[in-house]
Amino acid sequence: MKENVVVIGGGASGLEASRRLRDLGYIPVLIEKDAVLGGHLAHWNRLFPQMIAAKDVLDPLISDLDGIKCFTSTEVVSINRLKDTYVVKFSNGLSAQVRCILVTTGFQLFPAQKKQEYGYGIYDRVITNADLENYFNTGKDERVMNPEVIGFVHCVGSRDEKAGNRQCSKVCCATAVKQAMEIKEKFPDAIVYCFYMDLRMFGRGYEDMYLKAQKEYGIRFLRGRVSEVSEDINGRLVVKADDTLLGKPVKISMDLLVLMSGIVAPEGNANLARMIKVLPGEDGFFSAANPVSDPCLSTRDGIFFAGAATGPKTLPETLSEGRAAAMEIDAYMKRNCRSKK
């Protein structure tokens, strides 16, 4: 008889892990709190650095769900230990008794309105990276109307002691460059600025994308934090920043400002941590037993992690950890079966 495995989170990592678990002979029970599967990937337009369509990655994941029990708009209500199994109850009234639980809860974006100096929610022409990605997908956003000057603010809520989020979000720099190139394609005559602290273009092809943004797209990169955003009498944004390379302040009038909201732990992690009895780290993300050699293992038997549940990840890393977690679960199941004989 095939065993069930509960997978909490229907984003890229949860979907990939579920498909691999099914192929290994298990019945994944995939729980997703949102109404649709795919997580953040479902709302993205193109992916850096090759600028491929996000749907080309997502479609194969969500079109291959035979043998997987998927429940959307569903949350975990309780998890209780019963000998060597876990009894997991869901908000839809169903429950499952399993030996393994895989946590793939992903991340959420820092709420940009908390950085009041940037004016999100105050000025109409200040939007977030998620808002802009939605515009790329739909072509509809009244705030994006033939802008002549556009700015991108990196690290909004990341590497920010005051915001309570010291870590780097890892993918924000590359996302900002990608979106700057995309908006330039939409509005070729626009002047586009990127305000950054430093550029962390660590992946293969990332640096090439950055150089292309400068040379072929004419994106202007200014090193320095934005200190204040206001609105002038004509309704244009006035952005003040310090250019740390030139050692002087700058003030630029703009028609659109995009805030690159950083990656933070989901609010639900704290409650889930109490259920699985695995404490999250100071940053709210879960901590693996050994982040170097065993990134998918928790400190508790039968509890596994994958993807951004343990911190900011790129999409390739997220998918890879989904596959690795499935293999770890399979090994755990077989090891326990042998020990009982």
Side-chain angles (χ1 to χ4, degrees), residues 36-320:
V36 297
L37 296 171
H40 294 277
L41 183 59
H43 304 285
W44 230 241
N45 178 254
R46 283 191 274 175
L47 305 173
F48 60 80
Q50 292 87 1
M51 306 296 277
I52 63 174
K55 68 180 185 64
D56 290 345
V57 176
L58 180 60
D59 287 352
L61 292 176
I62 61 177
S63 64
D64 181 25
L65 299 178
D66 291 343
I68 301 171
K69 297 178 181 179
C70 296
F71 299 99
T72 56
S73 301
T74 303
E75 297 189 54
V76 174
V77 174
S78 65
I79 300 174
N80 293 299
R81 186 72 161 160
L82 181 62
K83 294 184 178 179
D84 62 344
T85 64
Y86 295 94
V87 178
V88 188
K89 293 184 179 180
F90 312 124
S91 60
N92 59 7
L94 300 177
S95 63
Q97 187 169 343
V98 297
R99 285 198 287 155
C100 290
I101 297 172
L102 175 57
V103 177
T104 61
T105 45
F107 66 90
Q108 68 183 42
L109 293 178
F110 176 82
Q113 60 270 22
K114 286 188 175 182
K115 299 292 291 182
Q116 295 183 359
E117 63 268 32
Y118 295 152
Y120 185 69
I122 301 173
Y123 307 121
D124 289 341
R125 294 299 187 94
V126 179
I127 66 175
T128 66
N129 42 357
D131 296 330
L132 183 57
E133 206 67 31
N134 182 65
Y135 167 76
F136 290 146
N137 275 322
T138 64
K140 299 177 181 178
D141 193 320
E142 294 180 353
R143 297 168 295 182
V144 186
M145 297 176 60
N146 299 315
E148 295 179 0
V149 184
I150 305 163
F152 287 81
V153 182
H154 293 216
C155 299
V156 176
S158 291
R159 303 168 65 192
D160 189 333
E161 189 80 37
K162 292 181 180 179
N165 188 27
R166 292 196 303 271
Q167 82 268 12
C168 172
S169 291
K170 195 170 188 177
V171 297
C172 286
C173 286
T175 300
V177 175
K178 177 199 82 86
Q179 289 193 333
M181 293 165 68
E182 285 185 277
I183 200 75
K184 185 70 172 178
E185 290 175 0
K186 294 281 186 182
F187 305 102
D189 296 328
I191 299 172
V192 181
Y193 294 91
C194 278
F195 297 92
Y196 69 97
M197 289 193 294
D198 50 47
L199 288 169
R200 300 189 170 186
M201 309 297 287
F202 61 90
R204 184 181 183 185
Y206 292 16
E207 188 72 16
D208 292 337
M209 181 177 66
Y210 162 60
L211 293 174
K212 184 176 181 179
Q214 284 184 300
K215 295 177 181 179
E216 297 183 23
Y217 287 76
I219 310 299
R220 305 181 183 187
F221 290 85
L222 293 179
R223 182 180 173 185
R225 274 194 181 276
V226 170
S227 58
E228 181 185 344
V229 178
S230 59
E231 200 171 59
D232 65 19
I233 193 171
N234 298 313
R236 297 191 78 198
L237 299 171
V238 178
V239 179
K240 295 180 181 179
D242 293 313
D243 188 328
T244 57
L245 290 179
L246 296 179
K248 66 178 184 179
V250 295
K251 183 169 71 172
I252 306 172
S253 294
M254 296 186 173
D255 305 294
L256 183 68
L257 187 66
V258 184
L259 306 181
M260 305 305 298
S261 293
I263 289 175
V264 296
E267 293 178 354
N269 272 11
N271 188 43
L272 181 59
R274 286 190 287 270
M275 294 185 198
I276 62 176
K277 294 181 172 56
V278 177
L279 293 177
E282 181 186 358
D283 57 6
F285 290 102
F286 292 103
S287 298
N290 188 322
V292 176
S293 61
D294 297 307
C296 297
L297 303 186
S298 79
T299 55
R300 196 164 189 222
D301 286 347
I303 304 294
F304 298 82
F305 301 127
T310 54
K313 303 280 195 318
T314 64
L315 182 57
E317 289 171 333
T318 294
L319 293 170
S320 294

